[in-house]
Amino acid sequence: ICKDGWNSGTLYTMEETSREAVATAVQRVAGMLQRSDQLDKVEQYRRREARKKASVEARLKAAIQSQLDGVRTGLTQLHSALLDVKDIQSSLADVSKDWRQSINTIENLKDVKDAVVQHSQLAAAVENLKNIFSVPEIVAETRQLIEQAELLQAHRKLMELECSRDDLMYEQYRMDSKNTSDMNLISIYFEDVQGLSDELAKQLWMVLQRSMVTVRRDPTMLVSVVRIIEREEKIDRRMVDRKKQTAFIPPGRPKRWKDKMFEVLEGTVSTRIEGTQAVTRETDKMWLVRLLEITRKYVLDDLIVVKNLMVQCFPPHYNTFNRFFILYHNAVSSRVKELAAEDLEANEIVSLLTWVLNTYKSVEMMGHPELCSECDIHQLEPLLPKDVVDDLLSKYVKTFTSNITGWLRKALETDKKDWQKETEPEADQDGYYQTTLPAIVFQMFEQNLQVAAQIDGDFKEQVLKLCLKQMTSFLVRYREEAVAYKEEHLKNRQLPQCYVQYMIAIINNCQTFKESINSLKRKYSQSSEPTDSDAAIERTLNEVAKEGCQFLLDEVFLDLESHLNELLTRKWLTGSHAVDTICVTVEDYFNDFNKIKKPFNQEMTSEALRRVVVEYIKAVMLKRMTFKNADERKEGAERMIKEADQFKFLFKKLAGEDTDRLCGAIAAIAEVFKLTDPTLLFLEVTTLVSKYPDIREEHIQALLSVRGDASREMRQMIIGTLSENKLSYTSATQPVFKDIAVLHCLKLYRK
């Protein structure tokens, strides 16, 4: 520590700061005087820096002066506070001195105090003397007034009796609080008063229990009851306040009739709600719907009566309408909780939840125009807790899942029976075959989604997802049944008689299912995002349709099998009509296949063309014959080109699309056979490979073998050269030779 009190570290920091300031200044000056022409401005720079320095010093002086003024003000206030504390201390000493001097004076006034108490007791006795002697008479009059329903007058008499009793007991308590015998004597003398109070209370509660009827017939009666209860409340408050001062309270006080009134009204509302059930499930299947409708009507009617009539019978601070509104809400809530705890069926769960979640707060009930101006229905607690609602929804979903599984199974069984009919299936307005299965399935879905939509938007989405999930499982079974239908048909192709037509209907149903699913999603789903179920359904429907088309083509090619076996045989070369028959048969089948919806009919036509061409090329690869000379090769090649044109014409008529590539494969092979100069064979094969890069070495071996004039060396040379310059084909290129089995070609190569 330095002599002046500064810490050595602080001094070091200040020195460091000073050095940094000097270094910064040097740097700034160096920056200003980098060029010789800037030396002329040295005086200008100096004046500017002097002004800046003066400004900073002025601000520092102002800040220090402000701090000094604040300290001076604080010291002045502390000095003033010290003087005030000394004055208060002196005043308290004076008060303490005066209090000690007055104690003796207060003790000298005890006799006066006793005299005042005795005078007060005697005055109360004189004042109540007349009432004391007339108590039996007043009791009889009061009882008669109660029986005659003159409640206000009866209460006035009752108050006189209670006032006399209470004053006497109070004076006795003040004179000698431990004298219980005199206190009991007064209680016995006025014992009928408590009975009258109970009888009057009973009449009040009876009026309140019938308040909905009373307010319509005689609202003055209800007003009288409220006035009596208000009087008793004031007396209760006065007696409780006196008890705080004297520790005395009359018997039976506080009566708390106001609290009892609200208890009676609450019980009345609960009884009215509980009394709405007139039928049970055993006598009426719609018992719950009727019960909820009766409850709705009673609650609405009663609250309108409260708003228009009963509010006027109660003081404004009672907030009567809101109080009754809450009473009815709580009563209804208790009732629906009881209903929710019962073993409800699925349709009853829907009815209850629809009523609770929608009808209750709608304009048909608590949101009625006559009521909504008096209260905010959005502030009401839910009628059913969320866990109860979730349990009911879970129970409904479980039941619905079980039911819809059974419905779908039954619908599929019914549709399967139709597949065995001897009559064609019905056609839609566009002439496409169909069955009733999609309509039945989606009618079930539609009905359940309409019901779910009545309950809640989120629940509607949940049911839609459940329907789509069930649809996924159903379509798997649908696919299995379609496969079984085909296999059963193959055992006896004569049965069922309308196999082709119903298989077409199965394919068309897939498109109908897609359209119906999209329609349901647009109508009942707020989300446009695809789900896992969507992908599974789309995939399964495409598989069912694709397999159905494949089954129909299998049917076609079973009929074509014998004619396909004639291709590239000696019989074919000498003038067979196999291709003519193939074209006629395919066209005949496709007259029925026109009843298949798009896009499946287009895909099926394309697949039929592909299979015909592949079967034709297979006939070449099977080496059913080998050309013996150039004339046979020419004749066979021309026949192949002609038949390729026949296929091209037929399928262009059926599909209306370009068929050149597939049919061109037959013509390209024919060109290999047609070539007369063997030395040019390599070029022709190269052309074929360039057009159809999916062709393999085995295929070329087979073609050269069928041609009949290519030596082993030539074949090896062609294959070797092509292997060195092998072309690749992309997936976008439609393959032709890819699906032709290699096994047959290997056999040819070995031979």
Side-chain angles (χ1 to χ4, degrees), residues 671-732:
E671 292 297 332
V672 174
F673 293 155
K674 189 176 180 181
L675 186 66
T676 56
D677 186 357
T679 60
L680 300 177
L681 191 59
F682 173 74
L683 295 176
E684 196 65 45
V685 171
T686 303
T687 302
L688 174 65
V689 173
S690 64
K691 289 182 180 179
Y692 302 95
D694 64 314
I695 194 170
R696 299 189 295 276
E697 296 176 5
E698 295 85 351
H699 297 144
I700 297 172
Q701 288 277 11
L703 292 179
L704 296 177
S705 178
V706 172
R707 179 178 166 84
D709 64 342
S711 64
R712 183 179 184 85
E713 292 75 11
M714 181 178 293
R715 283 185 287 178
Q716 290 178 347
M717 182 273 293
I718 293 173
I719 295 298
T721 307
L722 290 175
S723 298
E724 295 175 359
N725 303 280
K726 189 173 183 180
L727 299 174
S728 62
Y729 72 96
T730 63
S731 58

Side-chain angles (χ1 to χ4, degrees), residues 605-645:
T605 307
S606 300
E607 178 62 17
L609 171 60
R610 192 193 68 80
R611 285 187 64 172
V612 167
V613 171
V614 167
E615 291 295 332
Y616 197 101
I617 295 175
K618 277 184 179 179
V620 177
M621 301 301 172
L622 285 172
K623 194 186 173 185
R624 292 173 179 163
M625 61 168 286
T626 301
F627 295 117
K628 297 179 179 179
N629 51 50
D631 292 336
E632 282 191 357
R633 284 193 292 275
K634 180 180 179 182
E635 181 181 356
E638 290 175 349
R639 189 172 185 84
M640 290 175 68
I641 294 171
K642 176 186 174 183
E643 290 172 348
D645 290 338

Side-chain angles (χ1 to χ4, degrees), residues 331-453:
V332 173
S333 178
S334 298
R335 184 65 179 124
V336 296
K337 286 176 183 176
E338 294 174 0
L339 293 172
E342 295 186 15
D343 187 16
L344 297 177
E345 298 176 356
N347 61 321
E348 294 170 348
I349 292 175
V350 171
S351 298
L352 180 62
L353 290 179
T354 302
W355 193 89
V356 167
L357 300 177
N358 297 315
T359 304
Y360 182 70
K361 291 187 178 181
S362 70
V363 294
E364 298 177 359
M365 197 170 175
M366 305 303 263
H368 192 276
E370 287 198 45
L371 305 181
C372 61
S373 60
E374 299 294 331
C375 62
D376 185 4
I377 59 174
H378 301 293
Q379 299 298 323
L380 291 175
E381 293 291 328
L383 282 180
L384 287 176
K386 187 177 184 304
D387 58 337
V388 176
V389 174
D390 291 342
D391 287 343
L392 288 174
L393 291 176
S394 177
K395 182 178 179 182
Y396 174 80
V397 167
K398 184 177 180 180
T399 305
F400 168 71
T401 303
S402 176
N403 289 343
I404 202 168
T405 302
W407 294 336
L408 291 173
R409 184 181 295 108
K410 185 176 179 181
L412 183 55
E413 290 297 327
T414 303
D415 204 55
K416 282 170 55 183
K417 292 178 181 178
D418 292 342
W419 298 351
Q420 305 299 327
K421 288 183 178 179
E422 297 179 0
T423 57
E424 294 182 353
E426 296 181 359
D428 62 11
Q429 65 271 19
D430 297 320
Y432 297 118
Y433 287 137
Q434 63 178 2
T435 68
T436 58
L437 181 63
I440 293 173
V441 169
F442 283 95
Q443 184 179 7
M444 290 187 295
F445 288 169
E446 179 86 20
Q447 291 173 353
N448 284 278
L449 285 168
Q450 287 176 354
V451 170

